[in-house]
Amino acid sequence: MAARTESIALTARQPELQGVTVEAPVPRKKQAVVLLSAFATIALTIGYNQCFGVFQEYYLSPTQNVIVPSPASQAAPPTALLSFVGTLCYGLTWAGGILVNPVISRIEHGTWAPATTPSTRAWRRRGLRLLKPRTITILGVVMMSAGFGLASLSSSVWHLLLTQGLLVGFGMSLLYFPLLAPAPEYFTTHRATAMGFILAGGGAGGLIFSPVIRALLSSVGGRWTLRIFALFYLISGLPIAWSVPRSRFAGVPTENTPERRSTHVSRSLASSPVFLFSAVAAFLQAAGAQLPLAFIPAYTVVLGQTTAEGANLLAASNAINAVSRVLTGYAGDRLGRQNLVILTLLLSGSSVFALWLSSALDTTSTSFSLWLAFLVFYSFSAGGYYALFPALIAEVFGIRQYAAVNAFILFVRGLGTLFGTPVGGQLLGDSLEGTKAYSHVAYWDGALLMGATVCCVGVRWADGKGKGWRWVA
């Protein structure tokens, strides 16, 4: 009886007005818990992923003590393969949602262990009842900790791919989606602002992790840095994993609500123009957005600065990005989320061509100044898409479709991440070329971001055609 009472409370509704189901208001205390737990989750997952460039620069340096033989001693250092360690982790963090979200939805609705099915064995029912969202998130924390711990025992790049890439990445996905997927359901009028604050955790985490990683690598070396991270993720991750919120649409079905929220994109939705434009935009944006972050430490060193300064610039980029996500989320609620996404993508793509490419082709003393200007301008404009796209999905496709569409879009973003940075690593020129070695990377990055801008314009057009044009959308 107690369990049923709790389920009814979670799905309590206000009276329907003109056939529209209105969700009961969420207490401020519950909203605060969701905000803080999701913010911390983003910091531990996306914040770390945005700082892998510090690890990458260390693995390529002569002082590293993890990979044998040292990549710095090789005639052709495996730069692209080492960058793939970080992109594999980042890609799996997002792409894992295509598996995690359906599992969480089935667990919340008990569709794997119906108590009224006579043919179901008693031991199987009891075992599956122990499978809760907290089980998934705790497993994710353990996998992340194990991945870092095993990475400290690595001696080759493929060891890092399996541990710091595959194991840590999938563990992050198990923590990320159970806490992030239901978050928009707890907010209505200020949804973009709330999501902007939550996603600012990525910049805040990067601001902290980047100098900390650099300091640890310099003082205790790569192996002990990874062991410290293994312990830190276990201690800090378990309380976050325990606080996982439940979907507001889970529980007892009614005649107005489905038995459980859809976790699969229907064929009709997948073939719609607005969905196709959204998916391609997500792929191109993810492929291009991570390229500057991956190469900030290395490019800063090429410009004659120290590795510590490279890590500090990466931290500063994350700090600007965090502020941008909050501000653009707030502005999106007032000026239109789709409008802001198009504008920020256009500005970020333009900054690559106008500033980073100019810095790479410039051989004078202004090259570093152009690079600093790029980091400020790009870091601020790139935060817009991250802050707005979760609320944008809920707005364009509806909150009921949010879990399914968000999981698929993030899966596509994961594929884009796995595609963009490794290709950029292959386009990187010879180190003897200096900054010009990065010119093709800048061309590639700018083209990806401009392509994403065009696709977001397509989303705006298709959505307006279907729902009626609005200037603020």
Side-chain angles (χ1 to χ4, degrees):
M1 177 62 73
R4 182 173 178 83
T5 303
E6 181 183 357
S7 298
I8 293 173
L10 284 169
T11 56
R13 301 178 181 278
Q14 293 177 336
E16 297 185 4
L17 300 176
Q18 299 178 353
V20 179
T21 302
V22 182
E23 298 296 330
V26 181
R28 291 292 181 88
K29 184 177 180 180
K30 182 62 178 179
Q31 288 181 327
V33 172
V34 172
L35 274 177
L36 294 177
S37 61
F39 179 91
T41 299
I42 290 289
L44 287 180
T45 56
I46 306 303
Y48 161 78
N49 281 320
Q50 292 182 167
C51 295
F52 182 79
V54 181
F55 272 110
Q56 179 179 321
E57 192 279 329
Y58 172 78
Y59 290 142
L60 290 169
S61 69
T63 59
Q64 67 88 28
N65 65 345
V66 178
I67 303 172
V68 181
S70 175
S73 64
Q74 301 177 24
T79 304
L81 193 59
L82 277 170
S83 69
F84 190 65
V85 176
T87 53
L88 177 62
C89 182
Y90 211 153
L92 284 177
T93 301
W94 282 336
I98 204 75
L99 300 175
V100 178
N101 266 353
V103 171
I104 292 295
S105 181
R106 292 177 183 274
I107 289 173
E108 287 181 332
H109 290 79
T111 54
W112 281 353
T116 58
T117 305
S119 60
T120 306
R121 295 178 181 270
W123 64 267
R124 182 174 178 272
R125 290 202 305 268
R126 287 194 295 268
L128 289 176
R129 282 171 184 166
L130 296 176
L131 191 61
K132 299 178 180 179
R134 283 175 180 166
T135 311
I136 302 298
T137 54
I138 290 173
L139 177 61
V141 170
V142 172
M143 287 182 66
M144 288 189 291
S145 179
F148 284 119
L150 292 173
S152 71
L153 305 176
S154 300
S155 59
S156 62
V157 178
W158 73 267
H159 292 163
L160 294 175
L161 283 169
L162 292 178
T163 54
Q164 199 173 359
L166 180 65
L167 195 57
V168 173
F170 192 67
M172 287 183 173
S173 184
L174 294 178
L175 179 67
Y176 180 96
F177 282 97
L179 280 122
L180 266 293
E185 301 170 5
Y186 287 83
F187 305 92
T188 52
T189 55
H190 301 292
R191 182 174 290 148
T193 304
M195 295 308 297
F197 174 83
I198 289 171
L199 294 170
L207 173 64
I208 297 171
F209 281 139
S210 185
V212 168
I213 293 172
R214 180 69 259 168
L216 287 173
L217 290 173
S218 301
S219 58
V220 299
R223 296 191 185 278
W224 274 106
T225 297
L226 291 167
R227 289 163 188 160
I228 291 171
F229 261 66
L231 181 61
F232 168 74
Y233 268 74
L234 188 64
I235 295 174
S236 63
L238 287 177
I240 299 171
W242 189 261
S243 67
V244 58
R246 183 170 177 164
S247 169
R248 297 189 69 202
F249 301 141
V252 181
T254 69
E255 60 180 11
N256 297 311
T257 59
E259 187 169 319
R260 67 180 177 90
R261 60 180 177 174
S262 174
T263 55
H264 299 286
V265 176
S266 65
R267 185 176 300 178
S268 60
L269 178 60
S271 60
S272 64
V274 67
F275 182 85
L276 294 174
F277 277 124
S278 298
V280 177
F283 181 88
L284 295 176
Q285 193 276 340
Q290 303 311 314
L291 273 166
L293 295 176
F295 291 106
I296 283 176
Y299 186 76
T300 303
V301 171
V302 171
L303 288 171
Q305 309 302 310
T306 65
T307 56
E309 289 171 331
N312 290 335
L313 286 180
L314 182 57
S317 173
N318 281 300
I320 296 170
N321 191 268
V323 174
S324 169
R325 295 185 189 196
V326 176
L327 294 179
T328 51
Y330 179 82
D333 282 330
R334 286 149 182 80
L335 303 178
R337 295 150 190 169
Q338 296 183 53
N339 296 338
L340 263 293
V341 164
I342 293 171
L343 178 61
T344 54
L345 274 176
L346 178 62
L347 292 176
S348 61
S350 300
S351 69
V352 172
F353 286 122
L355 298 173
W356 189 12
L357 183 60
S358 298
S359 172
L361 296 176
D362 192 348
T363 56
T364 66
S365 58
T366 60
S367 181
F368 184 63
S369 299
L370 289 170
W371 175 239
L372 291 178
F374 165 73
L375 290 181
V376 173
F377 200 84
Y378 176 82
S379 299
F380 188 86
S381 58
Y385 185 89
Y386 292 100
L388 295 168
F389 94 89
L392 190 62
I393 290 174
E395 175 186 314
V396 173
F397 299 99
I399 193 65
R400 290 268 175 198
Q401 292 289 336
Y402 176 82
V405 176
N406 185 57
F408 188 88
I409 292 296
L410 286 176
F411 172 74
V412 171
R413 285 178 60 76
L415 297 180
T417 302
L418 294 173
F419 173 72
T421 304
V423 173
Q426 290 294 329
L427 292 174
L428 188 63
D430 191 275
S431 59
L432 298 177
E433 298 180 63
T435 58
K436 289 186 178 180
Y438 288 83
S439 60
H440 290 96
V441 180
Y443 278 121
W444 170 241
D445 187 32
L448 290 170
L449 293 173
M450 285 302 186
T453 304
V454 172
C455 290
C456 283
V457 172
V459 173
R460 181 81 165 89
W461 165 79
D463 186 57
K465 184 179 180 181
K467 300 177 182 177
W469 179 262
R470 294 174 299 156
W471 286 109
V472 179

